[in-house]
Amino acid sequence: MLEPPQRPPPALSAEKDGPGTAPLLVVIYAAPGPLLGRRFVLDHSPVLVGRGVENDIVLEDASVSRQHAHLEGRDATWWCVDSASTDGVYIDDRRATGRAPLAHGTRIGIGSTIFKFLCGSRLEELYHEEIYRLTVCDGLTQAYRQRYLIEALDKEIVRSRRRGSALALLMIEVDELAAIAQPRGLLNEGDRVLREVAGVLRRSVPREGILARYGDKRFVIVLPESAPEAVRAVAESLCERVANSRLEVGNRELQATICIGGAQLRREDRASADILERASGALDVAKSRGPSQLE
């Protein structure tokens, strides 16, 4: 469970009168530390973000420039502006150039930190909804967290047995992630590749499927009411889509591949751990044959 959000610095205090009507930045992903879940009230313009202590929002991160970016409000519209930083600013997972307009729900990536921009009415309620969402979804990949996966999978197992329907699971790992991208700062390029691959998976998973992050670089997709031949087709499609995607990481495009191990629910399975263990074993077999393999 997340710890209560820490108090923001005085320059952007979120506590003195509550958020009111001023927009919020909420930290939805950060390196281990006190930032996750913090909110910053944008009650003046511009709001400076960087590594230097003179900034309104200070990020102690080697990949963040001393004066990295600023947010400015003008005519009820807020913009994020890259201050000629070395590592760039990411708006909804894409590197931004110039002034990027912000809408409710926009994600802003600066170094190892990802913010979400909240605006409009009911800001206090929206903020607490976002904090709850952080307990369910991974801020980096926007996939469900492992705890949610286990709870959802256990429910799907019960439903599958009650209805007598099929249930399958795919376990996915990005191939040779360390070789694809070398670390730079706290949010390294490997994390960015994971974020990009997760985006491809989110856009490709069947509507009834459940996508979750499972460990550091693995994902799991739960496929209710899916026979073996349909599961194989989904796995082949995922491998092809990831391999054919050009992933935007920093100033370059990269290509990634994935291996997938699949498992079907069996009558003797007692809990989610059983099908997860078989899928993990199948994934290990697929990886042993090289990149972009299925088992």
Side-chain angles (χ1 to χ4, degrees), residues 2 56 72 105 126 162 289:
L2 293 175
D56 298 300
E72 58 185 47
L126 291 171
R162 185 174 66 246
R289 295 201 295 261

Side-chain angles (χ1 to χ4, degrees), residues 144 148-149 152-153 156 205-206 208-212 220-224:
Y144 287 115
Y148 179 90
L149 165 70
L153 182 54
E156 288 296 337
V205 67
E208 67 277 7
I210 300 170
L211 172 67
V220 164
I221 296 177
V222 180
L223 297 171

Side-chain angles (χ1 to χ4, degrees), residues 3-50:
E3 294 296 326
Q6 303 295 314
R7 184 180 297 275
L12 290 174
S13 175
E15 306 296 336
K16 54 184 179 181
D17 296 312
T21 59
L24 301 178
L25 283 185
V26 180
V27 178
I28 64 170
Y29 181 80
L35 275 181
L36 186 65
R38 287 180 68 171
R39 65 180 175 186
F40 299 93
V41 181
L42 305 183
D43 54 7
H44 66 272
S45 175
V47 173
L48 308 180
V49 185

Side-chain angles (χ1 to χ4, degrees), residues 4 10 23 26 65 104 115 154 157 163 172 213 220 245 248 267:
V26 180
S65 299
H104 177 72
F115 302 91
D154 283 337
I157 289 173
R163 296 182 175 182
I172 302 162
R213 189 174 182 184
V220 164
S245 296
E248 183 182 339
R267 182 174 300 176

Side-chain angles (χ1 to χ4, degrees), residues 157-194:
I157 289 173
V158 171
R159 188 173 71 165
S160 174
R161 286 178 170 155
R162 185 174 66 246
R163 296 182 175 182
S165 58
L167 176 65
L169 185 148
L170 297 176
M171 190 170 290
I172 302 162
E173 184 172 318
V174 182
D175 293 321
E176 298 296 334
L177 189 54
I180 293 173
Q182 297 299 322
R184 287 186 58 194
L186 297 178
L187 178 58
N188 58 50
E189 291 187 349
D191 284 338
R192 289 178 177 148
V193 171
L194 277 178

